[in-house]
Amino acid sequence: MADYTAFVEAGNGLVELLRENMTPEPISKRDLISLCSPHESENNQLTVYLFHIEEDKQAAPQAGYMQQTRNMQRMAPSRFQLSFLITAHSKAPAQMREADQYRVVGAALQVLKDHPVIEQRYLSGSLAEQKATIRVVLEKTQQD
């Protein structure tokens, strides 16, 4: 059962996956990929931002309690779908900025497609302790 830190641990796992697979090319340094708002892009070339959390009602176990120790019960864990926004940022000259950003986004998408599950080596904290499974799903957004 993961801790209250599971959301940040999931985000950090995603960042570590991207760092390992996107450096040194197309991004030169690991530190240029960060878990932060896309508005905090001063020193980042790729930002990962949690923008939506939804409880996964279909995958959630039966409501109720589970035995944690002999004398203590705890509510059964919930499962959540976390939606992250991945944004590329470039310091390239204006004529090349969009192309550079698209190249980085394309590389990030390829990494995510190649890794449908975030491997245990990228996880830390309570998610690592519990050997949690974090699935990566590319989601289409509705265009209004």
Side-chain angles (χ1 to χ4, degrees):
M1 184 172 339
D3 255 346
Y4 59 89
T5 57
F7 294 161
V8 72
E9 291 166 1
N12 285 335
L14 183 57
V15 166
E16 284 304 312
L17 170 70
L18 293 168
R19 283 177 173 169
E20 184 167 305
N21 290 280
M22 293 184 68
T23 58
E25 183 59 37
I27 297 176
S28 62
K29 293 187 234 167
R30 294 173 55 83
D31 294 348
L32 298 175
I33 302 173
S34 297
L35 184 65
C36 66
S37 165
H39 302 292
E40 305 294 327
S41 64
E42 299 88 29
N43 296 321
N44 297 302
Q45 285 188 309
L46 193 71
T47 56
V48 177
Y49 178 69
L50 177 63
F51 73 91
H52 183 77
I53 301 170
E54 188 172 330
E55 189 169 8
D56 188 350
K57 300 285 188 190
Q58 294 176 339
Q62 298 276 337
Y65 292 87
M66 57 186 279
Q67 200 72 32
Q68 187 166 358
T69 64
R70 187 175 145 203
N71 298 323
M72 183 179 2
Q73 289 186 336
R74 189 172 189 171
M75 288 191 70
S78 298
R79 292 186 184 204
F80 294 89
Q81 292 181 353
L82 308 178
S83 297
F84 289 92
L85 175 67
I86 296 177
T87 309
H89 308 275
S90 176
K91 303 282 190 243
Q95 307 91 320
M96 298 170 45
R97 189 170 299 140
E98 292 297 318
D100 189 40
Q101 290 174 168
Y102 293 169
R103 184 175 63 89
V104 170
V105 166
L109 288 175
Q110 186 63 56
V111 169
L112 298 176
K113 294 281 274 182
D114 290 346
H115 298 86
V117 175
I118 297 177
E119 297 171 38
Q120 288 294 310
R121 63 188 167 131
Y122 300 118
L123 300 179
S124 62
S126 62
L127 293 180
E129 290 169 13
Q130 298 299 316
K131 298 192 181 340
T133 300
I134 308 290
R135 299 191 190 289
V136 176
V137 178
L138 298 177
E139 187 176 296
K140 291 182 181 181
T141 58
Q142 292 184 348
Q143 303 295 321
D144 294 331

